[in-house]
Amino acid sequence: MSALSRAMLLGSSAVGVFLATHSAVAQEAASQGVDNASSYGLEEIIVTAQKRSSGLQDTPIAISAFTGETLEERGIDDVDNLQSYVPNLHIGREQDGFKISLRGIGLQGTTSISDSGVAFYADNFYIGRPAGGSAIFYDIDRIEVLRGPQGTLYGRNATGGVVNVISKLPTKDFEGQVGASYGTRNLWEVRGIVNVPLHEIAAARISAVYTKEDGYVKNVSTVPGTKDLFGTDGDLTLRGQLLVGSPDEIEVLLSATHSKLNGTGVPLSYLERRINTGAPPVRALAATIPADNPNPLITNNNTPGYLDVETTTPFVRLTKDFGGVEAVVQFGKMWQTSDLVQDFDGSSVNVGYFRKYQDSDAGSVEARLASTGDGPLKWITGVYYFTEDTYINRLVTLRGLTPGGIITLPNFDLDEWGKSTTKAAFGSLTYSFTPALRATVGGRYTKDKKSGTKLTKSNFGQPLPPDTPLAKTFDKFTWKLGLEYDVSRDIFAYASVSTGYKAGGFNISSDSSPYDPEEITAYELGIKTDLFDRRVRINLDSFYYDYKDMQLTTLGTYGPTAAPGQFTVNAGKSRIYGLELDTQFKITRELLLSATYAYTNAKFQDLCNRDPRDVPPPPTAASCAAKGLLGIDLSGKRVPYVAKHGITLGAQYTLDLGSAGELTLAANHAWHSKKWLREFAVAGIDDVKANGKTDATITYKVAETGLKVTGYVTNLENDIEKSNVYVSPGFIGTNAGTAYTKPRTFGVRADYKF
């Protein structure tokens, strides 16, 4: 039996059990005369995952959605915390940004033309280079996480899925909120919102949040200018919105977000040191580095470092209802600069430092029409354009040891310019054969162009690699076929076959070698249920991915000039399949229980690659040489960043205190089995052991005052784990470093609504 057959059989069997159970209990309840009118149920969430409003339980996609209030109650205030609540979501951080993976698909390199496999949106505006994204987790209406390829409606780089952060819109009521938080590691946060009606058809909303935190990795260096901890000297985010008119005439939303993040640097925590490459003087000096502190959260970075990121994002959306047809046109821009200085050897010895400066200018336009009538045919169609120009400068300064003493070597200094453009047209039709049975067909044509060049101004005194302008164009038609069936009022089933695509490119920062687009064909079968008068919610999704040419990025110094850079290669074929079970149980009016389980089998079936840690590299495997590829055969290795098993358990209890208010206690435990952070699967380097993390909150709402006070703890066990692996590109040794997740954090927050 094929893997696809096994996955679909498991899903179908579970669906049958759910249907039979609900049918039997529903009949029993009816025979006993249960009064549904007096019952209570789970929260209903409206989402826009299909670019039109629909109920979460009526949307034929594996989706996790959280309201802004739920996020506050659970203490989810940044992207990192979100991964404890969404099946198969992984967040890693490297240099000046964060990387997202869903079901093992996503992440990205850090060149000027790199793309992620998980599309990140803020208010339906695509952000190609999310940096400091935690600041936007305030004054939001909801977060939607769509698992699986979303190539038809979202298109660009959504092979793994979509994360969409949706802000609260201005309303016609005067209201506001102020709040403050204090927590572990001298965390301070102040925030505020004000919503003002300007006219019967206009309203404005302004929000601001300022955060300062010492950080959790301690730096014991005493060099002047170095910081004791790697945190922030103060992050400020401002958002302003103006909503004018109505869809019947024309509705205009003007929005702008500006954030300025003042980080005190990015620590280097080494897993191993391999002083086996680089110029002899550098190796001699690096050999004097003392042993690292056994505590991974204590380092000795003697270079005064920082990470400053400034982002401005204006956005305009026009909405007009023509009677049966709604038209939406939206424009967005993003200007972002980031400046990073980092100790490159992560030690008390002054071997070298790294600086990366990046300037990005991106913009997009989307125009779409969608039916709004009650007929059997619903449709949506549109066009999309995206462009991004990115400049990056990378500077490495090294020192070495000679018989004459310490010397400074010539720098490595590289300028890089990249440009990406996307043009697309898309459409989707859903036809209702009966009130309960619907079919969907959708398609998208995408044309991508990548161009760029680099200028190597210095290469440690070695010969300069060639700097030839390059350009490549890719195009692809992706499609989706879907079937939906309302089994009953409370049971909704769906099945789909869809394709996804992410453009190829070339290794602009290294040897300019090309890499192919990655393509996916995904099969999904799912069921969503709200049973027993919406007191029990059981959602099950089974999926199978046939993945071709998955893009994988490593650092290295390959080639005759040994110039460092990123190298992206394609995994010829990968197979990913699994099940995701998401449940909620409203036991009483006061008690809510939840549980999720994810099983994912993700393996490479055809992959050849070189581990940059291995110098000199081992001989190319015969199976790889036969395909004209270099490296060792990694077929059968697990896809990184996804565990085979994942479980979350949650509980929330609300106690009515009468005239005194309301007290809510909540806890969530997230556990995953062993997973890997690189395709090479080197024990002690790439592995993350099975681990669990518990978060808990206690919230007191003072009756009729608008005051809410929350105490929280995250990672109660105080267990940290690696979130990514970074191998330095050779000139101070092929050293493997990592970033760790946050240790235990306590805090209290207070908010007052008026």
Side-chain angles (χ1 to χ4, degrees):
M1 181 181 291
S2 69
L4 173 60
S5 300
R6 290 195 299 269
M8 294 305 184
L9 179 58
L10 285 171
S12 299
S13 300
V15 168
V17 171
F18 296 150
L19 292 177
T21 303
H22 175 251
S23 176
V25 177
Q27 290 176 12
E28 180 180 352
S31 67
Q32 295 176 358
V34 173
D35 183 8
N36 290 335
S38 63
S39 65
Y40 47 88
L42 292 161
E43 177 184 28
E44 290 188 271
I45 302 177
I46 302 299
V47 298
T48 53
Q50 295 185 300
K51 305 242 173 157
R52 65 168 83 235
S53 296
S54 63
L56 174 66
Q57 291 299 96
D58 300 320
T59 304
I61 298 172
I63 177 173
S64 299
F66 306 91
T67 65
E69 184 175 359
T70 299
L71 295 172
E72 288 185 6
E73 290 176 349
R74 298 186 182 183
I76 305 173
D77 57 2
D78 61 20
V79 178
D80 292 317
N81 287 352
L82 192 63
Q83 60 189 323
S84 294
Y85 298 85
V86 178
N88 283 329
L89 173 66
H90 176 90
I91 307 296
R93 292 184 179 270
E94 183 175 314
Q95 294 184 352
D96 54 352
F98 61 86
K99 300 180 175 184
I100 308 174
S101 170
L102 279 166
R103 296 173 176 172
I105 302 171
L107 307 173
Q108 63 180 5
T110 56
T111 74
S112 58
I113 61 169
S114 296
D115 293 317
S116 172
V118 175
F120 186 83
Y121 283 80
D123 295 324
N124 291 301
F125 171 68
Y126 175 69
I127 298 179
R129 299 178 185 278
S134 60
I136 61 175
F137 274 45
Y138 179 61
D139 192 31
I140 64 172
D141 184 72
R142 65 190 181 278
I143 293 177
E144 301 176 6
V145 181
L146 286 59
R147 304 188 296 277
Q150 308 296 324
T152 300
L153 295 180
Y154 289 89
R156 179 176 175 79
N157 304 330
T159 47
V162 171
V163 176
N164 197 1
V165 182
I166 301 169
S167 308
K168 287 185 178 178
L169 293 177
T171 67
K172 302 301 173 62
D173 300 317
F174 177 78
E175 61 183 8
Q177 178 176 317
V178 293
S181 299
Y182 179 75
T184 312
R185 297 177 291 277
N186 200 30
L187 165 67
W188 281 100
E189 181 177 283
V190 292
R191 50 193 176 269
I193 306 164
V194 62
N195 187 99
V196 181
L198 302 177
H199 188 270
E200 62 181 13
I201 62 167
R205 190 177 186 94
I206 298 174
S207 62
V209 57
Y210 176 83
T211 304
K212 188 174 182 179
E213 182 181 10
D214 287 342
Y216 57 92
V217 177
K218 182 176 179 58
N219 186 18
V220 297
S221 175
T222 58
V223 173
T226 58
K227 300 288 186 178
D228 294 335
L229 293 157
F230 295 90
T232 170
D233 282 335
D235 297 344
L236 176 65
T237 296
L238 302 170
R239 182 192 298 122
Q241 296 171 291
L242 177 65
L243 186 64
V244 181
S246 68
D248 292 338
E249 298 298 330
I250 187 169
E251 182 182 79
V252 181
L253 173 65
L254 303 176
S255 176
T257 301
H258 178 77
S259 67
K260 189 172 183 180
L261 314 181
N262 298 304
T264 56
V266 178
L268 272 183
S269 300
Y270 278 102
L271 299 169
E272 65 171 359
R273 292 184 183 270
R274 296 158 65 97
I275 312 301
N276 52 1
T277 59
V282 178
R283 278 183 281 168
L285 185 58
T288 68
I289 293 176
D292 292 310
N293 194 301
N295 185 340
L297 297 186
I298 296 179
T299 187
N300 193 331
N301 286 199
N302 64 358
T303 297
Y306 57 84
L307 171 58
D308 296 335
V309 181
E310 188 166 0
T311 307
T312 302
T313 309
F315 179 78
V316 180
R317 185 174 67 217
L318 309 175
T319 305
K320 168 69 174 172
D321 192 336
F322 290 97
V325 176
E326 181 184 69
V328 177
V329 180
Q330 61 185 44
F331 313 83
K333 285 283 293 182
M334 186 187 78
W335 295 283
Q336 183 180 88
T337 61
S338 65
D339 194 0
L340 167 69
V341 171
Q342 184 177 27
D343 189 320
F344 217 59
D345 55 273
S347 77
S348 59
V349 180
N350 187 14
V351 180
Y353 73 89
F354 169 67
R355 182 182 183 186
K356 177 188 176 186
Y357 176 82
Q358 179 173 296
D359 189 338
S360 296
D361 181 348
S364 67
V365 180
E366 182 173 333
R368 61 181 185 268
L369 298 172
S371 63
T372 58
D374 297 327
L377 181 64
K378 294 185 181 298
W379 54 268
I380 183 170
T381 186
V383 293
Y384 178 79
Y385 176 77
F386 171 85
T387 182
E388 180 182 52
D389 290 280
T390 301
Y391 163 75
I392 300 176
N393 172 257
R394 296 181 180 89
L395 176 69
V396 178
T397 295
L398 294 179
R399 305 180 78 209
L401 179 62
T402 68
I406 303 294
I407 62 171
T408 298
L409 278 68
N411 292 338
F412 174 79
D413 194 352
L414 173 71
D415 285 333
E416 178 187 326
W417 297 267
K419 184 178 182 66
S420 301
T421 60
T422 297
K423 300 175 183 177
F426 60 90
S428 180
L429 301 172
T430 298
Y431 185 78
S432 299
F433 297 101
T434 70
L437 180 63
R438 297 170 296 280
T440 296
V441 57
R444 187 183 190 103
Y445 174 75
T446 303
K447 186 173 184 179
D448 289 297
K449 183 177 181 180
K450 305 273 189 177
S451 60
T453 189
K454 70 178 188 297
L455 174 62
T456 307
K457 295 180 287 188
S458 177
N459 186 25
F460 304 125
Q462 300 300 309
L464 300 180
D467 299 316
T468 304
L470 294 170
K472 292 183 73 69
T473 300
F474 309 90
D475 67 295
K476 186 70 177 179
F477 178 77
T478 54
W479 51 267
K480 178 177 181 177
L481 299 175
L483 195 64
E484 310 164 27
Y485 182 57
D486 297 323
V487 180
S488 69
R489 183 189 65 178
D490 303 326
I491 302 174
F492 171 65
Y494 62 92
S496 68
V497 181
S498 61
T499 61
Y501 145 89
K502 185 172 79 171
F506 45 89
N507 288 297
I508 185 172
S509 72
S510 51
D511 64 354
S512 301
S513 59
Y515 53 88
D516 294 328
E518 61 178 36
E519 301 178 12
I520 182 174
T521 301
Y523 305 85
E524 302 247 358
L525 175 64
I527 184 170
K528 297 186 176 185
T529 68
D530 274 341
L531 311 176
F532 314 123
D533 200 21
R534 233 176 61 244
R535 299 181 194 179
V536 174
R537 179 169 295 166
I538 301 176
N539 294 345
L540 176 70
D541 187 85
S542 58
F543 59 92
Y544 179 91
Y545 293 168
D546 184 5
Y547 216 115
K548 179 183 178 183
D549 292 328
M550 179 187 289
Q551 295 167 10
L552 301 166
T553 300
T554 57
L555 284 171
T557 54
Y558 310 131
T561 62
Q566 291 188 23
F567 290 82
T568 296
V569 301
N570 296 105
K573 190 174 182 181
S574 309
R575 180 196 63 195
I576 304 174
Y577 65 88
L579 296 168
E580 294 169 345
L581 177 65
D582 190 349
T583 67
Q584 295 183 63
F585 306 90
K586 191 74 171 178
I587 305 300
T588 67
R589 292 183 184 277
E590 298 79 20
L591 179 60
L592 172 66
L593 302 179
S594 63
T596 70
Y597 170 69
Y599 167 80
T600 310
N601 192 311
K603 291 185 178 180
F604 297 109
Q605 293 181 299
D606 183 7
L607 172 60
C608 296
N609 203 359
R610 294 173 290 182
D611 187 344
R613 296 172 53 259
D614 295 332
V615 178
T620 293
S623 57
C624 296
K627 304 169 190 173
L629 301 173
L630 299 175
I632 58 177
D633 194 335
L634 298 171
S635 302
K637 297 288 187 180
R638 285 189 58 83
V639 173
Y641 298 101
V642 59
K644 193 170 186 177
H645 303 281
I647 298 172
T648 66
L649 300 173
Q652 179 177 300
Y653 185 80
T654 301
L655 181 62
D656 188 350
L657 302 178
S659 60
E662 183 180 273
L663 190 67
T664 300
L665 298 90
N668 184 84
H669 181 77
W671 176 90
H672 64 76
S673 61
K674 181 178 179 180
K675 59 183 175 181
W676 301 92
L677 298 178
R678 297 190 311 154
E679 63 271 26
F680 305 102
V682 179
I685 301 296
D686 302 321
D687 53 332
V688 176
K689 296 179 173 57
N691 190 34
K693 186 183 82 165
T694 302
D695 300 339
T697 61
I698 179 169
T699 301
Y700 175 48
K701 294 181 181 179
V702 183
E704 300 181 1
T705 64
L707 178 62
K708 179 173 68 174
V709 180
T710 300
Y712 64 88
V713 57
T714 62
N715 190 6
L716 183 63
E717 296 83 356
N718 201 31
D719 288 335
I720 61 172
E721 63 181 28
K722 295 175 287 188
S723 64
N724 73 321
V725 172
Y726 172 89
V727 178
S728 58
F731 39 83
I732 58 170
T734 53
N735 307 303
T738 189
Y740 288 93
T741 56
K742 282 186 179 182
R744 182 189 299 125
T745 302
F746 292 97
V748 60
R749 57 180 293 160
D751 292 281
Y752 174 69
K753 289 185 178 181
F754 57 87

